[in-house]
Amino acid sequence: MASLSVPKHPAFPSVLRTLTPKRYPSSQTLPIVSSSSHSPFYGLKFSTSSTLPIPSSSSGKMFISAKVDKGKVPPAFTLKDQDGKTVSLSKFKGKPVVLYFYPADETPGCTKQACAFRDSYEKFKKAGAQVVGISGDDPSSHKAFAKKYKLPFTLLSDEGNKVRKEWGVPSDLFGTLPGRQTYVLDKNGVVQLIYNNQFQPEKHIDETLKLLQSL
């Protein structure tokens, strides 16, 4: 069998030390080297000072289990819209509701998703459905977002992500990225569709319209 011999060289040990990767304990955070900008992961903003936890191999679950199931009535809520007015889920009873949770205003995927809902808004109106977007941004952020992209539907402010947690919307990237999940409720407030796709936001519109046309 052929063998490989390494020539002796005074600098060789130092090269090995240079190439030896640094090990991080599972509880340590790994700094992200990036200038303040939008992440290629739709909906996540990175900055120079941001850190992400390195997941431990002993961690049990990667995602939060959904609490809202198809065929069930989801928890009620009352939140402020982009104009600062309080809006309750019960307000929409009697007509289908397309309610989508998204990570944040002005991020690439969320902007793409919002504009796709905007561009198909007449189709949703024809189906008799209301479109409602929810994120943790405050009302002033929603107002600027809606004005900039001419969004004709309601945006609700779930500051502190209380409703997101109550509904059990799954998170991505080991819990560091708020999930993108769409629910379709029928006129009786019962969930008929739950659709989750973080990286193809336009698919939420396609899947939602398919269901609405069958109701």
Side-chain angles (χ1 to χ4, degrees), residues 88-147:
S88 297
L89 180 61
S90 58
K91 170 187 175 181
F92 304 107
K93 199 165 185 180
K95 61 184 66 176
V97 181
V98 177
L99 194 152
Y100 75 98
F101 288 85
Y102 64 99
D105 295 337
E106 295 289 354
T107 53
C110 298
T111 299
K112 185 176 183 179
Q113 183 179 26
C115 290
F117 271 116
R118 177 200 65 196
D119 295 344
S120 297
Y121 190 65
E122 289 303 316
K123 294 179 182 179
F124 287 104
K125 284 180 62 177
K126 187 176 180 180
Q130 292 281 335
V131 177
V132 180
I134 300 180
S135 81
D137 299 291
D138 62 31
S140 62
S141 174
H142 281 338
K143 189 174 184 67
F145 187 48
K147 182 178 180 180

Side-chain angles (χ1 to χ4, degrees), residues 63-75:
F63 305 112
I64 302 171
S65 299
K67 298 177 183 178
V68 175
D69 297 318
K70 182 178 176 180
K72 303 293 184 180
V73 175

Side-chain angles (χ1 to χ4, degrees), residues 149-166:
Y149 296 101
K150 297 180 173 58
L151 306 180
F153 49 86
T154 299
L155 295 179
L156 297 179
S157 178
D158 181 25
E159 295 185 76
N161 294 312
K162 181 181 177 182
V163 175
R164 177 181 286 273
K165 293 172 185 175
E166 287 178 347

Side-chain angles (χ1 to χ4, degrees), residues 6-19:
V6 180
K8 295 182 179 180
H9 192 282
F12 192 70
S14 63
V15 172
L16 287 179
R17 285 195 296 271
T18 303
L19 295 178

